[in-house]
Amino acid sequence: GIVEPLESVSDVITFRNEGETAIELQSFNLDGSSFSATSSAPIGWLAPGEEVEFWIGYTPIFVEDSGWLTVQTSDPVLKGALIPLYGQGAYPLLVLDPPVVDFGWVEPMGVADSGLTMRNDGLVDLTINESLVVGADFSLTSELTLPLTLAPGEEQWLDINYSPLTLGEHSGALWVESN
């Protein structure tokens, strides 16, 4: 499931010897900054039919986190096992698409209209508190009613106008403040 920021959850991985001879669990290596061992690694011998548990904790850092648990054993068939770990954090994620808006060539005092989509690719509501277009030749042609809340997967089109006063190449920036 989805885990709230600053919260932690734990889950168990069970190792079972389904063979006919004992095997040794030799080492455990955990990769992924969102994941941690919440129990001691069950290093040692595992008799046929025996099972042991290893608990792993997850504290979200991003919308989607991943990691790996690598286990080395004495099993002649499977010397090492690579177990993928996944978690989802309850974060919003603002995506501006396209990331760059090119208005092309525009004569001085001419006008070009374009824009971009603001989309929430996160797992919880995104709240946009402020927006600002920086650059003398650029402006928003449709004002946003702020604060604007976008549910996960929801998007909002933003119209941007380019009207250069002089010849030459001009650049601007869109600044958006959100949670």
Side-chain angles (χ1 to χ4, degrees), residues 66-90:
S66 62
W68 296 95
L69 173 62
T70 307
V71 181
Q72 298 298 319
T73 73
S74 65
D75 187 327
V77 177
L78 185 64
K79 291 269 186 202
L82 192 59
I83 301 166
L85 306 171
Y86 299 102
Q88 293 182 308

Side-chain angles (χ1 to χ4, degrees), residues 22-51:
I23 60 168
E24 183 181 12
L25 300 176
Q26 299 169 329
S27 68
F28 289 74
N29 185 31
L30 194 55
D31 290 318
S33 55
S34 296
F35 301 93
S36 61
T38 57
S39 69
S40 298
I43 294 176
W45 288 94
L46 204 55
E50 186 180 6
E51 63 182 40

